[in-house]
Every structure is written in C-alpha cells, then in structure tokens.
C-alpha cells in the first residue's frame, strides 16, 4: 500500500470531471487500498479519486469512530434525495484548515459498485449523507468553497496560495 499525494485548492486538476470506472480489477482494488490508507493517514472521513489526481468515479468514506468501517463506492449515482436540506459544517483535505457551512440534502440514496464489483444501494442520512454529497461533488470537479460567497472564496484562494508558497498568513 502507499500514501498518495492530495491535490490542494486552487489546483485546476481538482476541477476535472471523472470518468466511470470500466471494471473493478486488481488495479482498481490497489487504488482503493491506497486511497483508504491516505484518508486514514490524513484523518479525513472521506476521499475522492479526483483528490489524488485519478479522474475516475471512485470514493472512499469512513465516518466510524473506530475507523474500521470503510465504505467504497465505485461509479456512485444518487437515486433519491430527501425533500429537506440542512446546513452543515464541512472541511476538505484539499482545502486544509478551512471549515464553513454548506447546505446539503438531509438524506440520499446512492447506487454504486462495492470493492468486489457487486452492485449495492446505500441509504444515508446525517454526516454520511453530507460526506457522500461532498465526495460526489469532487467527482464532478466541484469543491465545497464554490458554495461560499465570491468574497470568502477569493480570501480562501489567496490564503491557500500563500500557504503553498510557504508564506505566513
Ligand atoms: O473530501 C475530503 O476532502 C474529506 C473531507 C470530508 C468531509 C468532511 C466534513 C464534511 C463533509 C465532507 C474530510 O474528511 S475533512 C476533515 C474531517 O475529518 C472533518 C471536517 C469537518 C467535520 C467532520 C470531519
Ligand atoms: Zn473534499
């Protein structure tokens, strides 16, 4: 297994739209293992392949306290959303140190393949639903800061560029 480098906002590669995974073979299973290791190492609750510069429709999530309940979604598609939306605090491993409120569907149902290539449906609410929507946005090249005001987004962009140049705030 290997730790993969995570792309940081405002890297333009974060805006690429991911393609469907053609099949779950040994190379996809290795990518899944590497993404899980990378997510756990970074103390995240989710990671999309886009964030590790692989532009395929694959996400990994683990919202459990013990960090022992990984959820792997290959070619995920939302099949149902609740009528209700809620404002939740979000963070992103590609925008380190920034947290802000984003409105998301309170509950969703998602169809996907698992790491064995088996079709499954996941019904999610609360943090899991938020995380699934956040990760699926990554696959569409969308980052949570794009839901914020242009003023906030530009401040975040400037802060990230400074951080990447090694400058202080
Ligand atoms: O996609 C990512 O960059 C991972 C991201 C997932 C996420 C967190 C919170 C709401 C929606 C999606 C993270 O894991 S950020 C770090 C984190 O563990 C965290 C941050 C805020 C709340 C809960 C967890
Ligand atoms: Zn993210």
């Amino acid at each position: 297994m290997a730790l993969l480098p995570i792309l940081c906002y405002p890297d333009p590669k974060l805006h690429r739209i991911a393609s469907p995974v053609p099949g779950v073979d040994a190379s996809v299973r290795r990518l899944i293992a590497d993404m899980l290791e990378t997510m756990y190492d970074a103390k995240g609750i989710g990671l999309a392949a886009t964030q590790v510069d692989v532009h395929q429709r694959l996400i990994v999530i683990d919202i459990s306290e013990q960090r022992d309940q990984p959820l792997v979604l290959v070619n995920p598609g939302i099949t149902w959303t609740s009528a209700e939306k809620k404002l939740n605090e979000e963070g992103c491993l590609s925008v380190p140190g920034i947290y802000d409120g984003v409105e998301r569907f309170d509950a969703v149902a998602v169809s996907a393949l698992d790491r064995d290539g088996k079709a499954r449906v996941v019904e999610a609410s609360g943090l899991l639903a938020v995380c699934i929507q956040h990760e699926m946005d990554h696959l569409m090249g969308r980052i949570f800061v794009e839901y914020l005001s242009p003023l906030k987004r530009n401040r975040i962009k400037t802060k990230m560029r400074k951080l990447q140049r090694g400058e202080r705030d």
Side-chain angles (χ1 to χ4, degrees):
M1 292 208 292
L3 287 180
L4 306 170
I6 298 175
L7 297 175
C8 271
Y9 184 76
D11 192 319
K13 294 197 278 283
L14 283 167
H15 298 298
R16 285 196 196 162
I17 295 178
S19 306
V21 175
V24 183
D25 58 12
S27 71
V28 171
R29 274 191 279 271
R30 170 173 299 198
L31 174 61
I32 290 167
D34 290 346
M35 283 176 58
L36 282 168
E37 190 184 0
T38 303
M39 176 189 74
Y40 289 129
D41 180 73
K43 315 263 182 292
I45 57 169
L47 188 70
T50 307
Q51 293 175 278
V52 294
D53 206 11
V54 176
H55 301 280
Q56 297 202 351
R57 292 186 61 78
L58 166 58
I59 64 183
V60 298
I61 291 175
D62 191 342
I63 61 161
S64 69
E65 277 200 7
Q66 303 298 321
R67 316 289 279 151
D68 60 356
Q69 287 170 49
L71 175 67
V72 174
L73 299 175
V74 178
N75 295 336
I78 291 187
T79 56
W80 173 83
T81 57
S82 58
E84 201 186 336
K85 285 184 165 185
K86 272 197 184 143
L87 190 69
N88 306 277
E89 185 88 342
E90 294 196 15
C92 182
L93 298 175
S94 294
V95 196
I98 304 291
Y99 299 90
D100 215 322
V102 176
E103 202 175 74
R104 303 277 191 187
F105 294 112
D106 193 30
V108 294
V110 180
S111 67
L113 302 179
D114 65 16
R115 66 170 105 189
D116 299 315
K118 251 181 70 183
R120 53 177 295 185
V121 174
V122 176
E123 289 172 6
S125 58
L127 181 59
L128 182 58
V130 171
C131 194
I132 287 174
Q133 291 169 81
H134 177 111
E135 302 310 332
M136 288 186 67
D137 266 358
H138 275 302
L139 301 181
M140 295 305 294
R142 211 176 296 128
I143 301 166
F144 87 104
V145 298
E146 288 165 40
Y147 293 105
L148 309 179
S149 69
L151 179 67
K152 273 190 180 177
R153 196 164 56 244
N154 283 327
R155 281 190 180 149
I156 292 167
K157 218 179 252 181
T158 305
K159 187 174 175 177
M160 290 297 126
R161 286 197 174 117
K162 276 188 183 169
L163 265 179
Q164 284 156 32
R165 288 198 300 260
E167 292 170 26
R168 289 172 55 116
D169 226 358

